[in-house]
Amino acid sequence: MTVEKAIYLKPKKEVSILRRHPWVFSGAIRAIEGAVQAGDLVAVHANKGRLLGYGHYSPGASIAVRMLTFNDEEIIDQDWWNSKVRSAVDMRKQLGLMGVAGNSICRLIHAEGDGASGLIVDYYDRVAVIQTHSAGMREALDSIQEALIHSLGSELVGIYNKSAKLLRKLKIAAEDGWIYGAAPDDWKPLEYGGAFEIDILLGQKTGFFVDQRENRALLGRLSKGKSVLNVFSYTGGFSVAALLGGATKVDSLDSSSRALELAQINAEANGFGKDAHGCIEADAMEYLKSGVTGYDIVVLDPPAFAKSVSARHKAVQGYKRINSRALESMKPGSLLFTFSCSQAVDDRLFTHTVISAAIQAEREVQILHRLHQPPDHPVSAFHPEGSYLKGLVIRVN
Ligand code: SAH
């Protein structure tokens, strides 16, 4: 493929790209050829000229190029996009997450994990929600839209672009909005049979935390006859799973009244009234101080405490504090589902943090399950940073 615009790396900086890691950091660039604009497709060369592949250029960002291909033969045209999206859709079907009864919510494109650094697409019953995290993906929006329509056919009736907030952070002007169709009248996103009202326009991320599906299902399997406190509940994903699994009482706790309103709507949509599902609008830390002795299971799924490696130390202290607070008053034999979605806190560090929280709380604990993100959030073998969600199920003795 001839791409006029090219960047040349400093000596030895090609090593990670040869290992197919998709990020070129700005400090690795020696020279830029051609009038390169934000979002352009550029050819990336090693110091001495060897062509390494092609990627999207973002001037001023610390990740200056997000590689799309490591093959000098590949042409990034509509066919390339069609086959990228087709392969992502095929994988979700292979996993039983699309085109089956009971499940119509999944992540369709998971950035680097699907070879599309800078692009997220979530799928909610015939509606795709796109988040572009780079100028290059914004430029590619028309091709992405066409590829989704091409690959999904009648399984797609609406596409919403929800990128404005992310792009404005990169100083790129953008508006959110439907770019194709709209949600159908009989829209009914389902996760393992549970129905969810998803606020695409105003909700967090694309509207729902798709990445907790399998962990919610595990909670469902352990909930029969149990009382559950779902801390950081958002719109009640874990709460609905617990109720469907036979929990006797579930309380959703969040600081957002809007999230709790939806949690209540979601509980009711699945047949559970206020006697079975309660809402607690509170600060999690403050509430946990008052004790959680009444529950058989507690879920802690806080927002990312560490958004970068530099914030890691403070984040670890936050995880330790919140976990020890919960553990202090949990009753003997109860279960704690505890999570971190901070990329900068890895499995080992998270486990150590929870163990030190247990030591601080003077509780003896057993680790029953080690949890992760589900397979529709794949991790590229060449980009281990993609593994961000980790969790533990702990029995408190
Ligand atoms: N478990 C949820 C996702 C959690 S997202 C699910 O399965 O869908 C994190 C949630 O934490 C958000 O809803 C946010 O409103 C809430 N939150 C953030 N800080 C909080 C705090 N200090 N106290 C209580 N809730 C908080």
Side-chain angles (χ1 to χ4, degrees), residues 139-189:
E139 293 298 313
L141 194 60
D142 287 348
S143 307
I144 297 164
Q145 173 180 338
E146 204 175 315
L148 286 167
I149 294 168
H150 181 266
S151 303
L152 289 164
S154 63
E155 290 165 296
L156 183 74
V157 302
I159 304 178
Y160 190 80
N161 177 25
K162 196 177 181 188
S163 308
K165 205 166 139 196
L166 298 160
L167 291 174
R168 283 188 204 132
K169 277 192 201 152
L170 304 174
K171 303 201 164 47
I172 300 168
E175 296 299 328
D176 289 342
W178 291 98
I179 54 173
Y180 172 75
D185 292 338
D186 60 344
W187 195 42
K188 199 174 180 196

Side-chain angles (χ1 to χ4, degrees), residues 204 209 216 232-234 238 253-256 282-284 301 303:
Q204 293 190 35
F209 289 83
R216 290 184 194 122
F232 304 101
S233 66
Y234 187 51
F238 279 101
L253 184 149
D254 205 282
S255 55
S256 155
D283 173 75
D301 182 25

Side-chain angles (χ1 to χ4, degrees), residues 103-121:
N103 270 327
S104 57
I105 297 177
C106 68
R107 174 147 296 183
L108 207 51
I109 306 220
H110 185 57
E112 287 83 3
D114 281 296
S117 181
L119 178 66
I120 295 287
V121 181

Side-chain angles (χ1 to χ4, degrees), residues 52-336:
L52 302 169
Y54 301 90
H56 281 149
Y57 181 64
S58 294
S62 88
I63 302 172
V65 182
R66 292 172 180 273
M67 300 297 290
L68 293 179
T69 163
F70 298 90
N71 177 346
D72 59 7
E73 300 290 309
E74 247 175 290
I75 300 171
I76 298 177
D77 56 8
Q78 191 59 49
D79 284 345
W80 185 90
W81 281 107
N82 289 354
S83 94
K84 173 117 315 210
V85 174
R86 178 81 256 156
S87 149
V89 170
D90 285 350
M91 192 254 266
R92 276 66 184 176
K93 290 196 169 165
Q94 189 176 33
L95 291 169
L97 295 173
M98 285 181 82
V100 292
N103 270 327
S104 57
I105 297 177
C106 68
R107 174 147 296 183
L108 207 51
I109 306 220
H110 185 57
E112 287 83 3
D114 281 296
S117 181
L119 178 66
I120 295 287
V121 181
D122 283 340
Y123 180 80
Y124 302 118
D125 180 25
R126 293 164 287 163
V127 169
V129 184
I130 299 180
Q131 287 196 313
T132 59
H133 288 246
S134 67
M137 284 301 176
R138 188 199 62 164
E139 293 298 313
L141 194 60
D142 287 348
S143 307
I144 297 164
Q145 173 180 338
E146 204 175 315
L148 286 167
I149 294 168
H150 181 266
S151 303
L152 289 164
S154 63
E155 290 165 296
L156 183 74
V157 302
I159 304 178
Y160 190 80
N161 177 25
K162 196 177 181 188
S163 308
K165 205 166 139 196
L166 298 160
L167 291 174
R168 283 188 204 132
K169 277 192 201 152
L170 304 174
K171 303 201 164 47
I172 300 168
E175 296 299 328
D176 289 342
W178 291 98
I179 54 173
Y180 172 75
D185 292 338
D186 60 344
W187 195 42
K188 199 174 180 196
L190 296 173
E191 178 181 282
Y192 283 129
F196 288 96
E197 182 78 32
I198 293 174
D199 188 355
I200 294 175
L201 275 62
L202 301 177
Q204 293 190 35
K205 309 270 169 139
T206 62
F208 193 62
F209 289 83
V210 181
D211 56 2
Q212 289 285 22
R213 178 196 323 104
E214 303 306 324
N215 304 329
R216 290 184 194 122
L218 174 64
L219 174 68
R221 291 198 292 277
L222 297 174
S223 288
K224 197 167 178 55
K226 307 291 182 198
S227 59
V228 178
L229 174 65
N230 179 12
V231 184
F232 304 101
S233 66
Y234 187 51
T235 57
F238 279 101
S239 306
V240 168
L243 289 164
L244 290 171
T248 47
K249 178 77 207 288
V250 178
D251 288 323
S252 294
L253 184 149
D254 205 282
S255 55
S256 155
S257 57
R258 173 70 187 138
L260 289 173
E261 230 172 86
L262 279 175
Q264 193 63 42
I265 290 173
N266 284 331
E268 270 160 32
N270 290 283
F272 303 96
K274 289 204 168 106
D275 49 329
H277 179 254
C279 289
I280 304 169
E281 186 180 336
D283 173 75
M285 196 62 195
E286 288 305 314
Y287 186 85
L288 290 173
K289 277 185 197 161
S290 64
V292 289
T293 35
Y295 297 97
D296 300 309
I297 303 179
V298 175
V299 179
L300 287 183
D301 182 25
F305 284 166
K307 293 240 156 59
S308 63
V309 174
S310 59
R312 184 158 53 201
H313 180 64
K314 239 180 119 193
V316 165
Q317 289 175 320
Y319 289 121
K320 185 172 166 188
R321 215 174 309 125
I322 200 133
N323 279 282
S324 88
R325 265 290 172 236
L327 288 165
E328 265 167 22
S329 63
M330 287 177 67
K331 67 178 175 195
S334 60
L335 297 180
L336 174 66

